Amino acid sequence: MASETKVVNLAEEAKLAGEGVTTPSYAFTTICKSLVAGGVAGGVSRTAVAPLERLKILLQVQNPHSIKYNGTIQGLKYIWRTEGFRGLFKGNGTNCARIVPNSAVKFFSYEQASKGILHLYRKQTGNEDAQLTPLLRLGAGACAGIIAMSATYPMDMVRGRITVQTEKSPYQYRGMFHALSTVLREEGPRALYKGWLPSVIGVIPYVGLNFAVYESLKDWLIKSNPLGLVQDSELSVTTRLACGAAAGTIGQTVAYPLDVIRRRMQMVGWNHAASVVAGDGRGKVPLEYTGMVDAFRKTVRYEGFGALYKGLVPNSVKVVPSIAIAFVTYEVVKDILGVEIRISD
């Protein structure tokens, strides 16, 4: 998701709230550097796992009457055999164009939401040393996810359609701008936000649980220090990455059915998607959904409950490398740009 809707530099973003980020605004240059670091981290990490991301979407929306992708290894081999190396990265350019601003806005929004919530929380409790609770972190993370997702949703919508195209597709979008203009012309402006509602609903458990679980797990490790993982009251980079991966896996598993429904709703109204989108269980015509609830009902009715988790395996496989690469990239770019994080004493 986002869904996801996905969290870039999960560990660093959650860490900011736990350290008590102060309410005064950053200098403009520092804000820009933070946005650049978060955006670059998102773009690099997405490119590294692009084949798994494309396979996930293909599994989510493929026609059950004509199964082409049947598992992670088989699916990747099939794409390589039928479309070559470039096929593994189809839609990645659009994804990077979306994920860079998405990650940057998400990073910045979480910082600002955390500072604002912390300021109000300290004012309400009268305790200037108070820190964000897991529930408040969840709220800050959910706000950041919704803002970032909404700002870039049209790009995600057309990215999904470009990703499911193959060389044999009856119609080809030539790129992101061509896809945006075509959808706008043929289906109207509302079509650019198809599947937005399940995306928003999915952001709350996905992004929220990511931040809350990560920070809670980190705090527990610091207090209990199992296996001697804590040194000088700090967790190692490897341990923090493991916490981020665990948090990401929990969040995406809870929210995953909403991601499947979102992708299927994005295909509705696309006249040339008949070879990709599921049929109605009897014929081979593309399925129409009147809304999110109808999409859930028809998916379960015609394909079973398991259809809500199609593509979960490749999505889970990419969690660890994606978070690890995003974390390392963000740290490197932040050091190169000389970003300094202001925290309270």
Side-chain angles (χ1 to χ4, degrees), residues 9-344:
N9 189 34
L10 168 67
E12 186 67 17
E13 292 177 6
K15 182 178 173 226
L16 289 172
E19 292 175 330
V21 183
T22 56
T23 53
S25 299
Y26 285 154
F28 179 74
T29 54
T30 302
I31 293 175
C32 290
K33 290 177 180 179
S34 296
L35 292 175
V36 170
V40 171
V44 172
S45 64
R46 285 292 183 163
T47 300
V49 297
L52 291 169
E53 177 69 14
R54 187 189 180 209
L55 178 61
K56 179 200 77 171
I57 296 176
L58 288 169
L59 287 169
Q60 286 177 333
V61 303
Q62 75 171 332
N63 192 330
H65 303 295
S66 178
I67 300 296
K68 297 179 180 178
Y69 313 97
N70 189 21
T72 304
I73 302 300
Q74 181 275 336
L76 291 173
K77 287 182 176 179
Y78 183 84
I79 294 174
W80 177 275
R81 186 173 66 252
T82 58
E83 302 181 61
F85 179 78
R86 292 183 61 185
L88 295 171
F89 292 87
K90 182 166 289 185
N92 184 57
T94 304
N95 193 26
C96 287
R98 177 192 69 88
I99 202 63
V100 170
N102 179 279
S103 301
V105 172
K106 187 184 298 178
F107 168 77
F108 179 65
S109 298
Y110 181 73
E111 280 191 357
Q112 300 306 309
S114 296
K115 289 190 290 185
I117 292 174
L118 182 60
H119 175 68
L120 293 175
Y121 182 60
R122 287 177 172 176
K123 186 176 181 180
Q124 183 180 25
T125 59
N127 181 7
E128 290 300 320
D129 296 323
Q131 300 298 320
L132 290 175
T133 64
L135 183 61
L136 293 177
R137 292 188 190 110
L138 188 149
C143 287
I146 291 173
I147 292 171
M149 182 274 298
S150 299
T152 59
Y153 192 82
M155 298 170 71
D156 179 68
M157 188 271 189
V158 298
R159 191 265 296 199
R161 292 192 177 187
I162 291 174
T163 298
V164 300
Q165 289 181 164
T166 66
E167 299 301 324
K168 297 181 180 179
S169 295
Y171 184 83
Q172 296 284 334
Y173 290 125
R174 295 192 296 271
M176 181 180 67
F177 292 109
H178 178 248
L180 285 169
S181 62
T182 301
V183 172
L184 192 62
R185 182 177 65 255
E186 296 183 354
E187 302 175 47
R190 291 184 61 185
L192 293 175
Y193 280 88
K194 286 180 177 178
W196 180 82
L197 181 58
S199 297
V200 170
I201 295 174
V203 160
I204 297 174
Y206 180 76
V207 179
L209 281 174
N210 268 338
F211 288 115
V213 172
Y214 169 81
E215 192 64 21
S216 298
L217 185 58
K218 189 190 74 171
D219 290 344
W220 174 78
L221 288 172
I222 291 175
K223 291 177 181 178
S224 60
N225 192 21
L227 304 176
L229 296 175
V230 181
Q231 296 180 352
D232 299 326
S233 299
E234 287 290 336
L235 297 177
S236 67
V237 172
T238 302
T239 304
R240 288 162 67 186
L241 289 178
C243 291
T249 300
I250 293 173
Q252 64 133 25
T253 301
V254 172
Y256 195 78
L258 288 161
D259 189 48
V260 172
I261 295 303
R262 170 176 71 116
R263 288 296 174 203
R264 295 192 169 202
M265 291 180 67
Q266 287 176 347
M267 302 299 159
V268 175
W270 185 19
N271 296 329
H272 305 282
S275 63
V276 179
V277 185
D280 64 0
R282 293 180 296 275
K284 299 296 180 70
V285 298
L287 195 59
E288 294 290 334
Y289 305 121
T290 58
M292 181 181 69
V293 175
D294 185 56
F296 267 110
R297 182 178 62 82
K298 288 180 177 178
T299 297
V300 174
R301 178 181 178 183
Y302 296 132
E303 300 178 58
F305 183 78
L308 296 175
Y309 285 90
K310 286 184 175 180
L312 180 62
V313 173
N315 197 51
S316 299
V317 170
K318 70 182 178 66
V319 168
V320 174
S322 179
I323 291 178
I325 293 168
F327 182 91
V328 173
T329 303
Y330 176 77
E331 290 293 330
V332 171
V333 176
K334 188 177 70 172
D335 290 341
I336 292 174
L337 296 177
V339 177
E340 295 182 359
I341 304 298
R342 290 184 183 178
I343 59 176
S344 59

